[in-house]
Amino acid sequence: MISGKQYNGLKADLWSCGVVLFVMMCGYLPFEDSNTNTLYKKILSASYKLPNFLSSDAADIIKLILNPDPDARPGIDDIRKHPWFNLYKTNH
């Protein structure tokens, strides 16, 4: 949306969910800057830092979801198949 290109609403919403997931896991926003142009550049280049305390699966799902290329971003089915998503899956 920031780049001005046509966008897929579902993929944009999944990206937003990725930001929320990042905040819930890390305790801070992935993209912050007082300058709007700099903030947009960070978002478009996926310039953020993951903390060391995240598991490799948690870091991986965040990286996948926060991919700035919506065509390369996973869909709901892909996310549901990810090892992090299924970490506590039960057979009930």
Side-chain angles (χ1 to χ4, degrees), residues 57-89:
D57 284 339
D60 184 60
I61 198 163
I62 288 173
K63 288 177 191 174
L64 291 171
I65 296 173
L66 293 184
N67 187 327
D69 177 1
D71 293 330
R73 197 174 302 143
I76 292 173
D77 289 337
D78 301 314
I79 292 168
R80 293 184 75 195
K81 292 175 186 171
H82 191 278
W84 179 85
F85 190 88
N86 290 290
L87 186 62
Y88 296 107
K89 188 174 183 177

Side-chain angles (χ1 to χ4, degrees), residues 1 3 9 12-13 16 29-31 39 46 49 53 59 64-66 69 76 79 85 89-90 92:
M1 291 173 50
S3 64
D13 288 347
S16 297
L29 289 167
F31 310 104
L39 174 63
K49 184 174 177 162
F53 59 77
L64 291 171
I65 296 173
L66 293 184
D69 177 1
I76 292 173
I79 292 168
F85 190 88
K89 188 174 183 177
T90 63
H92 298 35

Side-chain angles (χ1 to χ4, degrees), residues 1-81:
M1 291 173 50
I2 292 173
S3 64
K5 299 176 184 174
Q6 185 176 13
Y7 70 97
N8 176 322
L10 176 61
K11 294 289 184 131
D13 288 347
L14 288 171
W15 184 88
S16 297
C17 289
V19 171
V20 171
L21 181 63
F22 184 102
V23 172
M24 290 172 48
M25 287 186 177
C26 303
Y28 58 93
L29 289 167
F31 310 104
E32 284 191 285
D33 202 286
S34 58
N35 181 295
T36 304
N37 288 333
T38 304
L39 174 63
Y40 289 167
K41 288 178 185 175
K42 288 180 178 180
I43 292 169
L44 290 171
S45 66
S47 179
Y48 59 90
K49 184 174 177 162
L50 291 168
N52 294 332
F53 59 77
L54 290 180
S55 70
S56 59
D57 284 339
D60 184 60
I61 198 163
I62 288 173
K63 288 177 191 174
L64 291 171
I65 296 173
L66 293 184
N67 187 327
D69 177 1
D71 293 330
R73 197 174 302 143
I76 292 173
D77 289 337
D78 301 314
I79 292 168
R80 293 184 75 195
K81 292 175 186 171

